Amino acid sequence: MIRHHLSDSLLTGYSTGSLPEAFSLLVATHVSLCDECRARLEAQDAVGGAVLDSCDGAAMSDSSFAATLALLGGASPEREAREPVEGVFPAPLRDYVGGDADAVRWRPVGGGVRQAILPTAKGASARLLYIPAGTAVPDHGHTGTELTLVLSGAFEDATDHFGPGDVEIADEDLEHTPVAALGEPCICLAVTDAPLRFNGLIPRLLQPFLKI
Amino acid sequence: MTKSFGSFDPLAASLRIRSMLQELAIPGTLPLPIAALMGRAERHEDKGRHDVTADDDNAKAVTWMLAVARDADQQAFASLFARFAPRVKAFLIKSGATPSLAEDCAQDVMATVWRKAGQFDPTRASVATWIFTIARNRRIDILRRDRRPEPQDLPWGPEPEPDQLDAMVLQQDTERLSAALAALPDNQRALIERAYFGDLSHGEIARLTGLPLGTIKSRIRLALEKLRQTMT
Ligand SMILES: [Zn+2]
């Protein structure tokens, strides 16, 4: 049961196409898991539909319909049988990992914690974190906005519990120390619009020079 | 949570209409085809009856989409093209594309409309909404050159025969949403339009509030639930 959802402004940002790619990845992954946010997103898209519909059209060239048919090359509309995909990661995340959870190329960052940085456009970054049960989530100070989506396991802070599908939205003001719940490791997707920090591996001073 | 437009609650009203129609119906005749409802609305100038139908343009667009999806109907596609390609082109120009790039992209978008027609679900979106999402993704592709992660498709649905009444009330909700947006003060509406043309930063978007989305969200939520139930 998902208890922590996306904010309205994240959904509007995703619907209008103005979020950085890393944030869009997290939104698309949560929506894949959450019907409530899928409905909220599709409602936002309806505003886009209304805006599109209210546009005064710009005349297309005379040959445009024929050109479009030529693009289609006589193909019929696709008939794909959709099959439920089994796995830990929803499809948008699998696209970035290049496979499911077992395909992640983890790198240790100390204390048993592992991470894998996912390739996204600049402006924000995305990484997967693997946190052993009972271990504190590393270096959790924020300089920008950080969103954390739990994929498996759970983490807890002083006030709350975040299980699979839950999103924690943390801005610079949030000071807390989340800890992976006991029992199983916590795997989560974390995205931030601040430069990534590393726990101990690279001196802080070098951070401004690393364009990740 | 359902926001109402003034004292009128569209969700409750259309649920009432729905149960009225079901009471009137002889078993086996529901769902009423949208085309039939639409035809009726065209033939009769009777206002009371007109209230029950979705806006004619929306309903026509839905029948065209379904004709493309089911029968690869080129005539229906030509009608969709005439209605939406110029709007997509205008949308892309307002998003910063040159007219010639916008023309090419509008053709791409309409080609995608044909190819993916089977994914259109009239119980969850109007045709304009569905085409908007395709046009938006194309814009991100072209103008930002970013990848666009999309949510995983639902493994079930859309239904090959979407529930006509569900489709109709969703189209009505879309109409009401359009009307509510049109009724906003000019500066507020202009801000929303700029957001959808991709012209606002995320910080500016965070300050956009009060979009009247409660009703349509509830309806889509019900449609998703229904799709899940049909599967299990
Ligand atoms: Zn959610």
Side-chain angles (χ1 to χ4, degrees):
Chain A
M1 181 69 193
I2 296 174
R3 289 172 46 240
H4 300 276
H5 296 276
L6 299 166
S7 63
D8 285 340
S9 84
L10 280 168
L11 287 166
T12 312
Y14 182 81
S15 176
T16 57
S18 59
L19 286 183
E21 187 183 334
F23 281 64
S24 291
L25 172 60
L26 185 136
V27 169
T29 305
H30 177 83
V31 167
S32 301
L33 300 166
C34 179
D35 279 357
E36 177 65 17
C37 288
R38 193 186 286 267
R40 288 167 68 208
L41 172 62
E42 291 179 1
Q44 294 273 358
D45 289 343
V47 179
V51 169
L52 175 75
D53 218 16
S54 70
C55 284
D56 291 325
M60 297 288 286
S61 68
D62 291 343
S63 58
S64 62
F65 185 62
T68 304
L69 291 183
L71 283 176
L72 292 166
S76 290
E78 293 165 11
R79 286 191 202 287
E80 47 198 318
R82 293 201 202 161
E83 282 166 30
V85 195
E86 302 297 328
V88 183
F89 292 171
L93 185 56
R94 280 200 305 272
D95 287 347
Y96 278 76
V97 168
D100 203 5
D102 52 7
V104 179
R105 292 205 205 111
W106 295 109
R107 292 180 193 286
V109 288
V113 177
R114 293 181 257 165
Q115 76 170 13
I117 294 172
L118 303 176
T120 52
K122 61 176 193 245
S125 54
R127 57 183 166 161
L128 288 165
L129 286 168
Y130 173 103
I131 304 139
T135 303
V137 178
D139 199 17
H140 220 71
H142 302 281
T143 55
T145 300
E146 183 169 79
L147 311 178
T148 309
L149 166 64
V150 177
L151 297 159
S152 68
F155 69 81
E156 280 155 354
D157 62 19
T159 57
D160 236 322
H161 176 93
F162 296 83
D166 281 335
V167 180
E168 183 206 48
I169 301 175
D171 58 21
E172 325 189 7
D173 303 331
L174 188 76
E175 287 274 345
H176 69 162
T177 311
V179 175
L182 295 174
E184 59 173 321
C186 177
I187 296 176
C188 47
L189 172 65
V191 305
T192 176
D193 54 7
L196 273 194
R197 298 199 209 160
F198 293 90
N199 191 15
L201 279 188
I202 300 166
R204 255 324 133 63
L205 281 175
L206 285 177
Q207 281 294 317
F209 304 103
L210 291 173
K211 297 228 168 71
I212 311 174
Chain B
M1 189 192 68
T2 304
K3 279 184 199 146
S4 61
F5 295 85
S7 61
F8 175 68
D9 180 349
L11 179 58
S14 50
L15 289 176
R16 266 201 309 278
I17 291 165
R18 191 195 165 100
S19 68
M20 272 161 50
L21 284 171
Q22 278 169 341
E23 278 167 26
L24 288 173
I26 303 155
T29 61
L30 266 184
L32 297 168
I34 285 179
L37 287 166
M38 197 180 78
R40 212 186 290 173
E42 279 173 343
R43 281 197 299 276
H44 298 267
E45 291 308 311
D46 178 344
K47 289 283 180 231
R49 196 162 250 176
H50 198 95
D51 281 347
V52 180
T53 64
D55 170 75
D56 290 354
D57 285 347
N58 271 353
K60 269 184 209 156
V62 169
T63 53
W64 292 332
M65 275 304 307
L66 296 179
V68 169
R70 282 179 201 152
D71 310 321
D73 183 332
Q74 261 196 33
Q75 204 56 50
F77 183 56
S79 302
L80 285 169
F81 193 93
R83 177 160 159 70
F84 289 104
R87 285 177 166 85
V88 170
K89 183 176 176 182
F91 171 80
L92 293 168
I93 291 172
K94 289 187 176 178
S95 301
T98 62
S100 77
L101 180 61
E103 163 97 20
D104 287 352
C105 289
Q107 290 177 17
D108 285 350
V109 167
M110 293 310 297
T112 304
V113 167
W114 171 272
R115 284 193 203 101
K116 304 281 180 196
Q119 292 179 16
F120 169 69
D121 182 348
T123 69
R124 284 161 56 204
S126 72
V127 176
T129 296
W130 189 66
I131 294 180
F132 158 73
T133 62
I134 297 170
R136 172 203 58 206
N137 292 359
R138 195 79 187 104
R139 184 191 79 209
I140 295 169
D141 240 28
I142 294 287
L143 298 178
R144 294 219 329 220
R145 297 173 192 284
D146 284 356
R147 283 171 79 184
R148 169 72 179 186
E150 281 288 299
Q152 184 166 324
D153 287 334
L154 295 173
W156 49 85
E159 292 285 282
E161 300 288 334
D163 185 305
Q164 309 285 350
L165 212 45
D166 285 346
M168 197 182 70
V169 288
L170 189 279
Q171 304 308 315
Q172 289 175 334
D173 287 342
T174 308
E175 274 305 302
R176 291 202 185 86
L177 176 63
S178 292
L181 289 170
L184 287 174
D186 284 351
N187 55 347
Q188 213 178 330
R189 197 183 56 248
L191 204 62
I192 291 168
E193 286 172 358
R194 282 182 55 204
Y196 281 86
F197 297 141
D199 201 23
L200 291 190
S201 71
H202 190 59
E204 293 170 301
I205 280 171
R207 291 194 291 275
L208 274 185
T209 50
L211 293 175
L213 299 181
T215 305
I216 199 156
K217 193 227 87 178
S218 310
R219 181 96 52 209
I220 296 166
R221 187 77 178 85
L222 288 174
L224 289 170
E225 240 162 65
K226 210 166 157 183
L227 284 169
R228 256 186 214 285
Q229 281 165 7
T230 327
M231 262 311 272
T232 49

